[in-house]
Amino acid sequence: MIQFSFHNMSYTKDKGIVGFDNYLRIFTKSEYVDAMLLSLYYMAGAVVQLALALFFASILSLERLRGSGIYKAILFFPFLVNGIAIGYIFKYFYTHGFVLDSVLQALGIPLERLPYWLRDQSVNNWSLVFTSVWKYCGQNMVLFIGAIASIDPTLYEAATIDGANRWQQFKAIILPGIKTVFMLNLILSITGSLSAFEPAYVVGSMGANGTATFFIKIHQMAHVSQKVGQACAMAMVLMALILLFTVLQRLFFRYVMKDSDSTFNAKANKAKALW
């Protein structure tokens, strides 16, 4: 793929080496730059998604709720549904005058004041991001619940004796205790944001109305325009971005979680002493 990215070629013809022209075109043509910037919507959605997943995981793990298994199943169920099926569900959900508009009309908002959720470019990408959050929040939550369950319960007892409330226990015990899984979830979410495809392709009608993500542009370049060299260059740029964000996340958490680690170790030593 690296070799192809320096060629002007289709599936049947190779017109020769073009150097870095394919790469330069990615960063100078607005259609590619705009497609890359669309990933910011999905990254913002990934942050909300992780926050919701961690919130639900903490509540369902620490609080003794009746029927917590049912809540976990309801939240995890969207992840089990095929992405294409989810796309068609939300396509009708957002269609003007259908499900979402009917609910909002029932709340007193007239139909003429509601936007076209998939055509209006001020809201359509946020609509697509919501479908991604709805699908993957449960997956993140399950991973968080597993990580929280692995924390030694005597740490909570030691923290309770010290008078720590739930929020303080979350910051000093849970967050450092699930750091590895949190980083895993964050990396999965960010890489998923950069390579978002199904919401824009199915719900957004193959990237219409300004919803074409960078991954959809790669698909169109390779399989519609048959510019294989250009598509390979775009794929290499996408891989480089994913690696860059992964390294930046590791550096960020190594710095931010340093103090939490020391607090976590102090709590663990105190709990062992009490035990």
Side-chain angles (χ1 to χ4, degrees):
M1 184 178 291
I2 295 175
Q3 179 184 353
F4 294 161
S5 69
F6 293 101
H7 284 245
N8 179 10
M9 61 182 293
S10 65
Y11 285 111
T12 56
K13 293 182 181 178
D14 185 352
K15 297 179 180 178
I17 298 175
V18 293
F20 287 93
D21 285 0
N22 289 333
Y23 289 94
L24 291 175
R25 199 172 292 115
I26 294 170
F27 295 103
T28 53
K29 291 192 71 172
S30 61
E31 64 173 313
Y32 301 132
V33 175
D34 291 345
M36 278 194 281
L37 292 177
L38 273 187
S39 299
L40 296 176
Y41 285 94
Y42 291 89
M43 286 185 189
V47 173
V48 175
Q49 174 184 311
L50 286 179
L52 287 174
L54 188 53
F55 172 75
F56 289 132
S58 301
I59 294 295
L60 293 174
S61 298
L62 299 182
E63 305 297 338
R64 295 180 179 177
L65 297 177
R66 179 177 294 180
S68 61
I70 296 175
Y71 297 132
K72 293 174 187 174
I74 292 173
L75 290 168
F76 185 67
F77 177 73
F79 180 68
L80 301 177
V81 181
N82 180 273
I84 303 297
I86 286 180
Y88 281 108
I89 291 170
F90 274 93
K91 199 174 183 68
Y92 286 102
F93 180 77
Y94 286 129
T95 297
H96 197 62
F98 274 58
V99 182
L100 178 58
D101 287 351
S102 298
V103 172
L104 294 175
Q105 286 181 84
L107 295 175
I109 304 175
L111 181 62
E112 56 271 17
R113 292 183 57 187
L114 296 174
Y116 285 81
W117 300 103
L118 298 178
R119 286 168 50 186
D120 188 339
Q121 295 193 16
S122 64
V123 296
N124 59 0
N125 281 300
W126 290 117
S127 302
L128 301 182
V129 167
F130 176 77
T131 66
S132 182
V133 172
W134 183 78
K135 177 174 172 58
Y136 293 105
C137 183
Q139 179 203 21
N140 296 140
M141 181 200 71
V142 168
L143 292 173
F144 282 140
I145 287 175
I148 292 172
S150 68
I151 296 175
D152 188 348
T154 56
L155 293 177
Y156 300 116
E157 296 173 10
T160 303
I161 293 172
D162 283 346
N165 57 32
R166 286 295 192 196
W167 172 243
Q168 291 167 328
Q169 290 180 22
F170 175 80
K171 286 196 302 179
I173 298 175
I174 294 178
L175 205 52
I178 64 170
K179 183 179 69 173
T180 303
V181 173
F182 190 90
M183 286 186 62
L184 171 66
N185 269 332
L186 189 59
I187 290 171
L188 290 175
S189 300
I190 297 298
T191 55
S193 303
L194 290 169
S195 56
F197 182 79
E198 290 165 350
Y201 193 80
V202 181
V203 187
S205 301
M206 295 181 283
N209 301 310
T211 59
T213 60
F214 197 65
F215 205 78
I216 285 184
K217 288 290 184 184
I218 294 175
H219 163 73
Q220 292 173 342
M221 195 59 60
H223 302 127
V224 179
S225 303
Q226 300 218 349
K227 295 181 179 178
V228 177
Q230 183 66 57
C232 288
M234 295 172 71
M236 294 305 302
V237 169
L238 180 61
M239 187 176 71
L241 287 174
I242 289 173
L243 290 175
L244 175 65
F245 276 98
T246 302
V247 171
L248 289 177
Q249 287 169 59
R250 289 190 64 84
L251 292 175
F252 176 77
F253 274 91
R254 183 174 295 176
Y255 174 76
V256 170
M257 301 299 289
K258 184 172 60 178
D259 294 337
S260 299
D261 280 345
S262 59
T263 306
F264 179 79
N265 292 332
K267 291 287 182 187
N269 292 333
K270 187 167 185 175
K272 289 177 183 176
L274 289 173
W275 186 259

